[in-house]
Amino acid sequence: MATVSAPKQVSVKEDAEALRKACQGWGTDEKAIIAVLGRRNAAQRRQIRHVYEEIYQEDLIKRLESELSGHFEKAVYRWILDPPDRDAVLANVELKKSGDEHHVIVEISCTKNPEELLAIRRAYHARYKHSLEEDVAYHTKGDTRRLLVALVSAFRYYGEEINTTLAKSEAKKLREAVKNKKFGNEDVIRILSTRSIAQLQATFNCYREEEGTSITKNLPKDSSDEYIATLRMAVRCLKDPKKYFEKVLRRSIEGIGTDEDALTRVIVTRAEKDLKEIKELYHKRNNVPLDKAVDKETSGDYKDMLLTLLGNEV
């Protein structure tokens, strides 16, 4: 369930006027911006952008970018975009870093339904004038390229039907690949990138029944190998997305320093989907509410924005 509870009836014109007022004068009224945008759903935010541009003849997103700064600006910018466009931007930013971490690509490939992933690919194409698959292929290599291109190109069946015989057969193939350390095996990539989520769950369950442990526990944990790290991430996302996102949040907060990019990404992208369940899981696993952890690790308008998206009154 979502943590953002948007009112069913809103005056988009009044919202646009409130945002215009917040951006005028000597200082920016950040609290007014949070009060409006932090409590509107994607459809309402889209309407606000359109009405704002009609009335004031300027792009609301560009205006907010010029008025805000730092982590707060990033959070607002990512929140106000349409979800497919937001994911396209996040993917492009990650690919341009030319690093060996592929969280965004894996997350959008493994946690979105087929239509959502297709919408992201279309948004990426429209914004950057080339395909997401093309850029993923360009910025990766070897087995990592093969896996990620296959994942972002997928259009999985999204129903609940499963084939038990197939699940047993493919669980065996995964077990053999793991046992023989053939992690880049063609069957591994094919199974993970083409089977429905329900079918994969059945396969992972068969794997656990035969091995006595989950596939994620059998994959190398602290491997510095880029492909192995990406493979583990993909399996965890496909197997239990909420558990995966809880861990991303925990790692973004624990230790020295806060990983604001990861923290913002998870809260912004899951606030209208399943952040309530992720919050509950975080509390259960860490014995502290996520809201309290965010309140402790962040500050200022950035903190208020995140807490609002988490469902708090600030």
Side-chain angles (χ1 to χ4, degrees):
M1 292 178 64
T3 50
V4 172
S5 181
K8 292 183 179 180
Q9 299 293 329
V10 297
S11 170
V12 178
K13 184 173 181 290
E14 288 180 6
D15 284 347
E17 291 170 348
L19 291 171
R20 174 73 169 186
K21 183 179 179 182
C23 294
Q24 288 183 317
W26 288 101
T28 306
D29 188 348
E30 289 86 355
K31 292 192 183 303
I33 292 171
I34 295 170
V36 174
L37 295 179
R39 296 186 176 87
R40 300 292 183 268
N41 62 35
Q44 292 166 342
R45 299 194 302 275
R46 187 183 312 116
Q47 291 178 321
I48 292 169
R49 294 199 315 269
H50 292 328
V51 170
Y52 184 96
E53 186 164 0
E54 285 178 1
I55 297 174
Y56 302 111
Q57 300 299 303
E58 73 171 356
D59 188 311
L60 175 59
I61 294 176
K62 290 182 179 178
R63 182 59 187 263
L64 290 172
E65 282 184 295
S66 70
E67 294 287 335
L68 310 178
S69 62
H71 298 304
F72 177 53
E73 183 270 326
K74 266 188 183 178
V76 171
Y77 174 70
R78 290 172 180 175
W79 178 245
I80 200 172
L81 290 172
D82 283 338
D85 203 28
R86 170 206 302 147
D87 287 328
V89 169
L90 287 170
N92 185 257
V93 168
E94 180 176 84
L95 289 169
K96 282 184 174 179
K97 289 180 180 178
S98 297
D100 58 0
E101 293 189 349
H102 309 288
H103 294 90
V104 174
I105 304 302
V106 169
E107 288 166 15
I108 65 175
S109 301
C110 300
T111 68
K112 306 292 183 182
N113 68 44
E115 294 296 342
E116 288 172 335
L117 179 54
L118 186 59
I120 293 164
R121 288 161 60 190
R122 285 174 173 156
Y124 194 99
H125 196 279
R127 181 178 275 265
Y128 301 110
K129 311 308 177 190
H130 32 98
S131 72
L132 176 57
E133 301 94 312
E134 179 184 357
D135 279 2
V136 169
Y138 180 79
H139 289 284
T140 55
K141 59 186 178 181
D143 288 340
T144 302
R145 174 189 289 165
R146 290 172 54 231
L147 175 62
L148 292 180
V149 170
L151 288 172
V152 297
S153 304
F155 193 84
R156 303 174 192 272
Y157 172 64
Y158 205 60
E160 294 299 318
E161 293 85 355
I162 61 169
N163 182 324
T164 305
T165 302
L166 181 65
K168 290 179 180 177
S169 169
E170 295 192 331
K172 183 179 179 181
K173 289 179 179 179
L174 292 177
R175 282 169 35 230
E176 289 173 351
V178 172
K179 181 179 179 181
N180 297 320
K181 301 189 185 302
K182 301 291 185 181
F183 304 111
N185 182 297
E186 182 180 325
D187 281 333
V188 173
I189 293 175
R190 176 185 58 79
I191 292 166
L192 295 181
S193 63
T194 64
R195 297 305 183 198
S196 71
I197 299 301
Q199 185 66 39
L200 283 171
Q201 295 291 347
T203 299
F204 294 148
N205 287 338
C206 287
Y207 184 103
R208 186 184 187 95
E209 288 171 7
E210 291 296 324
E211 283 292 308
T213 187
S214 68
I215 185 171
T216 47
K217 290 187 178 177
N218 275 355
L219 291 171
K221 288 185 179 180
D222 300 317
S223 174
S224 58
D225 184 291
E226 178 184 359
Y227 173 70
I228 298 298
T230 305
L231 178 65
R232 272 182 58 81
M233 200 187 311
V235 171
R236 286 172 48 225
C237 264
L238 292 164
K239 189 166 172 284
D240 194 335
K242 296 180 183 67
K243 188 175 177 180
Y244 165 85
F245 283 118
E246 183 280 327
K247 192 168 186 178
V248 174
L249 285 172
R250 180 166 17 108
R251 287 183 171 179
S252 75
I253 293 172
E254 68 183 9
I256 300 172
T258 304
D259 183 350
E260 288 87 359
D261 280 347
L263 180 62
T264 302
R265 185 180 77 249
V266 175
I267 291 177
V268 166
T269 59
R270 309 313 296 182
E272 293 181 275
K273 287 185 170 290
D274 52 7
L275 190 54
K276 187 172 182 180
E277 291 94 333
I278 294 169
K279 280 177 61 176
E280 291 170 356
L281 184 58
Y282 184 95
H283 194 175
K284 181 179 179 181
R285 285 175 156 260
N286 301 281
N287 296 316
V288 61
L290 178 59
D291 314 68
K292 189 172 181 179
V294 170
D295 182 67
K296 180 183 177 182
E297 296 296 328
T298 59
S299 61
D301 299 313
Y302 173 58
K303 176 179 76 173
D304 291 345
M305 182 66 183
L306 294 188
L307 289 176
T308 299
L309 297 183
L310 282 166
N312 290 268
E313 294 290 335
V314 295

